[in-house]
Amino acid sequence: MLRLQRLRRLAGASCLLRRRSATWRSSTKNASFSEVLQLEDTKLTGVVFPLQGLERYLAPGVNTASFRIFNPGLDHIHRAEALFKPSGRHVIDYVSSAVRMDHAPQLSQPEVCFVGRSNVGKSSLIKALFSLAPDVEVRVSKTPGHTKKMNFFKVGKYFTLVDMPGYGYRAPQDFADMVEAYLQERQNLKRTFLLVDSVVGFQKADHIAIEMLEEFGIPYVFVLTKIDKAPKGLLVKNVLEIQDFAEKHTQGCFPQLFPVSSIEYSGIHLLRCFIAHVTGNLPMMNS
């Protein structure tokens, strides 16, 4: 509690400056962890640890151990945010796009990639992760299947983030060849983030993607998107079903899922911290 109070005091000055801009607040409220730290405890938990925020909606006796496997302190989350803030020496930028592996940039730093069904909110999530770097151009479209190439974003000297084309509706014709080659050949790939829509849950195409990741032995993790749009009962149902599936039917999946809202920034700070950790930039615990 004392550590939380200290973090809140440290964050207070920067929040006062930000609040002078009504436009900024309307578009990126809660994007900065310093602003989240000003929330009262219940709201803070809901924004930073969405799984834990759902516990009050669960039936008695439901096992929530998997809700806290990756459970960093607020100070770790605060430190991880620095990776997503550009500075003179720390440049965050789009690098290039590729439709084939021989077109992909040869980068040595650790890499993470984001995959998911068309219209699952993948580009919106990446834009939210990079919200503290407004000069980074992440194209977001309401049209499913907008992303047709592998888009590479370099986060300083620390890691690269790859936005993959969506699978399913309006997927590129060469999607399978492109993605399979990337997953099998990219030696510096540390984690694949598989996005699932919280409103509709698993779809047939998601199971195909899971089979591919399991076959290739690729470490991956489920990210549950658009949690601001899902009724609480439906959200709890899908969370428990996906957690149960990960525990019983997968080998390479991290047993804790990450619910997020790109609109309200729920789960974004924890996801930033997890990315920092799996890329070796914030050693804390095994994952």
Side-chain angles (χ1 to χ4, degrees):
M1 182 59 69
L2 289 175
R3 180 177 291 177
L4 173 58
Q5 291 172 352
R6 283 197 296 270
L7 283 169
R8 281 174 167 164
R9 287 199 298 270
L10 287 170
S14 59
C15 281
L16 288 174
L17 291 174
R18 290 189 181 96
R19 286 169 183 162
R20 293 178 181 176
S21 171
T23 302
W24 185 91
R25 289 190 68 195
S26 65
S27 59
T28 58
K29 185 178 180 181
N30 293 337
S32 170
F33 195 56
S34 58
E35 188 168 19
V36 173
L37 287 171
Q38 304 306 307
L39 300 174
E40 57 91 10
D41 290 349
T42 301
K43 289 184 178 179
L44 185 147
T45 298
V47 171
V48 180
F49 303 105
L51 281 180
Q52 296 177 29
L54 289 175
E55 289 180 347
R56 58 190 172 128
Y57 299 100
L58 300 177
V62 173
N63 186 357
T64 59
S66 59
F67 286 18
R68 289 176 167 80
I69 296 172
F70 183 75
N71 192 33
L74 297 180
D75 52 342
H76 284 109
I77 296 174
H78 201 255
R79 283 169 50 203
E81 184 182 74
L83 292 175
F84 294 85
K85 285 183 177 179
S87 65
R89 294 185 176 182
H90 178 54
V91 178
I92 303 173
D93 203 4
Y94 162 79
V95 178
S96 65
S97 298
V99 294
R100 300 199 312 265
M101 277 303 295
D102 56 353
H103 292 172
Q106 298 303 309
L107 303 169
S108 60
Q109 61 259 50
E111 201 158 275
V112 295
C113 76
F114 284 67
V115 300
R117 190 171 51 84
S118 298
N119 205 35
V120 75
K122 182 165 45 62
S123 296
S124 295
L125 172 57
I126 294 173
K127 190 175 183 67
L129 289 170
F130 287 145
S131 59
L132 303 177
D135 291 337
V136 176
E137 183 179 2
V138 182
R139 296 182 179 179
V140 178
S141 173
K142 293 182 179 180
T143 304
H146 175 75
T147 304
K148 299 294 186 183
K149 302 177 181 179
M150 299 180 287
N151 297 316
F152 293 79
F153 299 88
K154 190 175 180 182
V155 182
K157 63 182 181 181
Y158 298 102
F159 67 91
T160 304
L161 187 151
V162 186
D163 182 8
M164 305 294 283
Y167 52 76
Y169 179 69
R170 293 192 67 197
Q173 290 185 348
D174 55 353
F175 172 84
D177 293 339
M178 183 194 315
V179 175
E180 286 187 11
Y182 171 84
L183 293 174
Q184 289 183 300
E185 298 176 19
R186 204 67 170 178
Q187 297 298 315
N188 54 337
L189 178 63
K190 299 302 181 184
R191 194 75 50 143
T192 294
F193 292 80
L194 179 58
L195 278 57
V196 179
D197 190 322
S198 67
V199 178
V200 301
F202 277 142
Q203 301 292 292
K204 181 178 179 180
D206 297 320
H207 285 286
I208 295 173
I210 293 167
E211 290 174 5
M212 179 175 63
L213 292 168
E214 290 285 337
E215 178 184 344
F216 296 161
I218 305 294
Y220 64 102
V221 59
F222 290 127
V223 177
L224 199 60
T225 63
K226 306 180 184 179
I227 62 172
D228 54 289
K229 296 183 179 180
K232 282 294 185 290
L234 178 61
L235 179 58
V236 168
K237 172 180 175 292
N238 285 333
V239 163
L240 294 178
E241 286 182 356
I242 293 172
Q243 290 273 190
D244 185 67
F245 178 88
E247 179 182 345
K248 296 179 179 178
H249 303 289
T250 69
Q251 296 293 323
C253 184
F254 187 64
Q256 176 181 325
L257 67 86
F258 289 80
V260 296
S261 166
S262 301
I263 303 298
E264 299 175 350
Y265 288 88
S266 301
I268 296 297
H269 307 282
L270 185 64
L271 188 59
R272 285 174 179 158
C273 191
F274 188 71
I275 293 170
H277 176 54
V278 298
T279 56
N281 293 299
L282 195 69
M284 289 185 298
M285 58 196 76
N286 293 329
S287 59

